[in-house]
């Protein structure tokens, strides 16, 4: 497959000006130069454009964060585990501040209890600690059992997902799948959880008439 | 408890200028006027400030979205189910576009299979459909069984969470708990899922040496 930039745009739904911007920013590899002012693009470009758009539209990532992810993906020296770490750092909120020490300790204890081996500087540690601290400040301390049950389900599913990914042949495909799994699948889960809540709320409380 | 604005600021860690901004924007009820240029604040203000900050810092909501949530919370005419709907709409991405029709149908089918009753215009429907469409476009179609297992866990947990909330005495406390549960707890779950993935990725793939 060889495509002109206009055809690449049609196939992916990404405007030509945006494709040119991604080329300048290094999010997309240059096409094959066929004339001084013309280049041809292939299947890899279609795929990469879809990935960039997904990170942006579904993951809500900015250009700089997408750059970090794409750079890690393209660096063959980095293991799948390292690329996952890069994706997690790109997804972490920028200026969220340091969580309270006791919330940090709660997370440490939970991870120890679960037997999860997670690096000390994983941004999700701080994110979890901040969320737990917020819940406590608001007088809504998390029921440890409920949380534990969530953790165990996620544990089993993460094992399944990571296993199915590591069985694919190519490194690029595997790491990309893991990044997509992180960014897109967690949006899907959040949406699914909201739907479950709406269902149970409608069952229990029942909608009242009115606007 | 009566507090001057400076004391309210100290207790919540929110700068006085920001408190004044929230008062102007109607996110915080006016204090009790004690002199032409002085007002006193109480426990409700402390609590509301913490809620506003949580929606902002943990949920990543903008002022307009926080306004929608707070307005729904304060309107005693709205049922818990309606306030939850308002929170979901406030959390939904603004300009995400209409999902593909076949992805929308997949979501309809899933919800039907699960027996979940969810209103036709629930924003989480579209969010889930967009996420599923992205996965398919990227050649990472979701394994129906994995997804189903997630849905069933979330179903059981949502039932438990909604039940525990609807058992609290006051409407305000119940709806607030539900909103916090949505905004903060889903951040906690996302963080927990990333930690589970990091653990299993480190177990399977193993980190490679190097930077």
């Amino acid at each position: 497959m060889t495509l002109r930039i206009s055809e690449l745009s049609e196939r992916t739904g990404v405007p030509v000006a945006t494709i040119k911007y991604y080329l300048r920013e290094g999010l997309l590899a240059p096409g094959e130069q066929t004339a001084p002012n013309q280049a041809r693009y292939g299947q890899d470009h279609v795929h990469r454009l879809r990935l960039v758009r997904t990170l942006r539209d579904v993951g809500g990532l900015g250009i700089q964060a997408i750059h970090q992810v794409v750079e890690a993906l393209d660096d063959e020296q980095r293991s799948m585990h390292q690329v996952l770490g890069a994706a997690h750092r790109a997804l972490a909120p920028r200026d969220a501040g340091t969580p309270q020490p006791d919330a940090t300790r709660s997370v440490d204890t939970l991870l120890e209890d679960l037997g999860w081996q997670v690096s000390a500087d994983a941004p999700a540690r701080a994110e979890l600690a901040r969320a737990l601290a917020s819940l406590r400040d608001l007088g809504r301390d998390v029921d440890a059992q409920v949380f534990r049950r969530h953790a165990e389900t996620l544990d089993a599913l993460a094992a399944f997902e990571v296993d199915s990914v590591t069985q694919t042949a190519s490194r690029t495909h595997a790491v990309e799948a893991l990044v997509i799994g992180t960014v897109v699948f967690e949006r899907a889960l959040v949406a699914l959880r909201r739907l479950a809540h709406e269902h149970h709320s409608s069952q229990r409380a029942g909608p009242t008439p009115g606007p």
Side-chain angles (χ1 to χ4, degrees), chain A residues 96-133:
Chain A
T98 313
Q100 297 163 15
D102 52 343
T104 304
R105 274 194 300 276
S106 300
V107 172
D108 292 346
T109 307
L110 175 73
L111 293 177
E112 223 169 280
D113 286 354
L114 290 164
W116 290 1
Q117 280 172 33
V118 176
S119 66
D121 62 344
R125 276 180 184 264
E127 237 197 302
L128 182 55
R130 273 192 298 271
L132 295 179

Side-chain angles (χ1 to χ4, degrees), chain A residues 48-100:
Chain A
R48 173 57 54 90
L49 268 181
R50 285 198 180 128
L51 178 66
V52 168
R53 297 301 269 191
T54 301
L55 293 174
R56 198 196 72 147
D57 295 341
V58 183
L61 265 64
I63 288 294
Q64 213 195 328
I66 296 174
H67 209 286
Q68 286 176 42
V69 174
V70 160
E71 201 177 46
L73 262 177
D74 287 344
D75 180 357
E76 301 271 342
Q77 298 297 308
R78 298 204 220 177
S79 70
M80 199 178 77
H81 187 62
Q82 288 173 320
V83 179
L84 185 68
H88 284 185
R89 282 190 295 280
L91 282 164
R94 295 277 135 236
D95 51 354
T98 313
Q100 297 163 15

Side-chain angles (χ1 to χ4, degrees), chain A residues 145-183:
Chain A
Q145 250 192 314
V146 173
F147 209 69
R148 181 77 191 217
R149 208 167 137 192
H150 271 295
E152 281 162 1
T153 311
L154 289 167
D155 187 47
L157 291 164
F160 178 87
E161 290 174 63
V162 171
D163 273 349
S164 68
V165 159
T166 46
Q167 278 157 17
T168 57
S170 90
R171 172 199 168 275
T172 307
H173 199 225
V175 288
E176 202 186 275
L178 208 56
V179 169
I180 293 167
T182 298
V183 173

